[in-house]
Amino acid sequence: MTVNAALRARARRGLRGLGLVLCGTFASGVVLAPSPAYAANGPVPLGAADRYAVLAGETVNNVGNSVIGGDLGVAPGETLTGFPPGVVNGERHPNDESAQHAQRDLASAYDDASNRVSTDPTGTELGGKTLAPGVYTSTDAVALTGTLTLDARGDANAVFVFQLATTLVTGADSQVRVVNSPRPLCNVYWKVGTSATLGSDTEFVGVIMALDSVSLNPGARVTPGAVLARDGAVTLDENTVNRASCLPAASPGASGVPGRPTPSVSPSPSPSVSPSPSPSPSPSPSPSSPSPSPSSSSPSPSPSSPSPSSPSPSISSPSPSPSPAGPTPTQAPASPAEPPAPPAPAQPEQPPVQPEQPAQPEQPVVPEEPVLPEQPVVPEQPVMPAEPGQPGAPGPAAPAVPNFEVPQGP
């Protein structure tokens, strides 16, 4: 009895411990395997087709001023008509490698959406309904008349998948409205078994993946979303299809396509040349070595050393080549028999420049004396003839006095 009681007590303790372990596991939030419902609600991987706003199998025909926000392509067909007047804010791919790759990834995405586990049937009319995130399935043709409300419940990454076996047709002025999402809802997918037709002025949300064709009547808008047809054509008429708002934000590339990063080239660091003295072929220091600049504390290199602004030394210079990292190696002189010249002695610093004397104020300019006008010249008075008897007056000539010579003695 004692042994059996001990065994029973040990068994009870083991079960109690196992229960505590299991409770702790669930309380800590550890999940051993994802549930099918959680796996079904992940985004549908579009691959290379994710960048396309419009993609067709046969042709894309546009009428009027349609605006395509994303890439435009067709494969295996090659026809893209109506651009212009249609505007493509992306790249055009008429049956090139990019469009063919996108078509292959579209086929995989179509199969992925078809194989999701259904959450609820949609019925044949979507107008007037409010749906939570999930997978909705219909085995008949589906119509949308009025407003379909998608409630994201506060999750901008909420996923809605519609599995439609045949056709999707919306009435004029119909609307798919998104509520309770902090940003545009990008994970809405419409897998259409045959063809999709959007009525005039329809406001639609989501990626349409049609097995056959897609037609948009005048004024219909798909934003955010895309129109992708695997086998048939896409027909546009004054429409707007905007996929670019759901692409990852990045710098525009060289082609100007939004979301395509441009590779940036980092500049290589410029090598710095250490101003170490270089050996001179003369054993004595050169008297012509330049003295250091007053604004630099390091000595200037000798004339045979490379200039600090030059990234590589001259071939004829014995100075070592600059290295961007680490100390500058010392190169042996040209002649091994001659000893290296000692570095030039540092010149004493020049005395500081005396400050300039303050400029003396200019003396006031003394105005010049005014120039007096010249006095008029007084004309000379005429000389009046002297009257007779006055000195200088003309009169009879005086008699000539004879010249007697006085005889000289013997």
Side-chain angles (χ1 to χ4, degrees):
M1 294 296 292
T2 304
V3 175
N4 291 335
L7 293 175
R8 285 195 297 271
R10 182 177 299 176
R12 283 195 299 270
R13 286 195 301 270
L15 291 176
R16 188 181 299 113
L18 179 60
L20 293 174
V21 171
L22 293 176
C23 291
T25 301
F26 287 111
S28 62
V30 177
V31 180
L32 300 180
S35 63
Y38 178 83
N41 288 339
V44 175
L46 293 173
D50 193 24
R51 301 201 58 83
Y52 282 80
V54 175
L55 178 65
E58 291 182 353
T59 182
V60 177
N61 299 315
N62 172 65
V63 176
N65 299 321
S66 297
V67 178
I68 308 301
D71 288 358
L72 169 67
V74 58
E78 299 179 353
T79 304
L80 299 174
T81 61
F83 302 95
V87 177
V88 181
N89 294 321
E91 296 180 353
R92 304 184 190 189
H93 299 280
N95 194 25
D96 58 5
E97 183 179 355
S98 175
Q100 295 167 6
H101 188 188
Q103 278 288 4
R104 292 192 297 269
D105 288 352
L106 174 59
S108 299
Y110 184 93
D111 295 339
D112 181 278
S114 300
N115 296 327
R116 298 286 175 116
V117 178
S118 177
T119 302
D120 192 26
T122 63
T124 58
E125 176 58 56
L126 294 175
K129 292 184 177 182
T130 299
L131 303 178
V135 180
Y136 298 91
T137 306
S138 174
T139 57
D140 297 323
V142 173
L144 170 59
T145 305
T147 300
L148 169 64
T149 302
L150 304 181
D151 187 357
R153 298 184 176 181
D155 183 8
N157 297 317
V159 178
F160 294 82
V161 178
F162 294 89
Q163 301 170 334
L164 311 183
T166 57
T167 60
L168 169 65
V169 178
T170 70
D173 299 315
S174 297
Q175 181 182 14
V176 177
R177 186 168 65 100
V178 176
V179 297
N180 298 326
S181 177
R183 62 173 182 265
L185 196 60
C186 296
N187 296 325
V188 180
Y189 307 94
W190 300 82
K191 172 259 168 184
V192 181
T194 55
S195 299
T197 302
L198 303 186
S200 300
D201 299 320
T202 294
E203 298 287 339
F204 202 80
V205 174
V207 179
I208 300 175
M209 299 181 292
L211 182 63
D212 191 3
S213 61
V214 182
S215 299
L216 276 63
N217 288 324
R221 296 167 52 88
V222 181
T223 177
V227 177
L228 312 177
R230 290 183 55 183
D231 300 330
V234 173
T235 304
L236 305 175
D237 188 354
E238 297 279 350
N239 307 122
T240 298
V241 183
N242 184 17
R243 182 61 180 167
S245 60
C246 288
L247 297 179
S251 302
S255 60
V257 181
R260 303 221 170 167
T262 303
S264 59
V265 180
S266 301
S268 58
S270 301
S272 60
V273 180
S274 302
S276 58
S278 61
S280 172
S282 174
S284 59
S286 175
S288 60
S289 299
S291 61
S293 174
S295 60
S296 174
S297 59
S298 60
S300 301
S302 63
S304 61
S305 62
S307 173
S309 61
S310 174
S312 61
S314 174
I315 300 177
S316 61
S317 173
S319 302
S321 60
S323 175
T328 306
T330 305
Q331 184 176 356
S335 176
E338 297 179 358
Q347 298 294 332
E349 296 184 358
Q350 299 295 332
V353 180
Q354 296 295 332
E356 296 181 359
Q357 297 296 330
Q360 296 295 331
E362 296 182 359
Q363 297 297 328
V365 179
V366 179
E368 297 180 356
E369 294 293 335
V371 180
L372 296 177
E374 296 181 358
Q375 299 295 328
V377 179
V378 180
E380 296 182 359
Q381 298 295 328
V383 179
M384 301 299 294
E387 295 184 3
Q390 296 294 332
V401 178
N403 188 9
F404 294 100
E405 296 182 358
V406 180
Q408 300 292 331

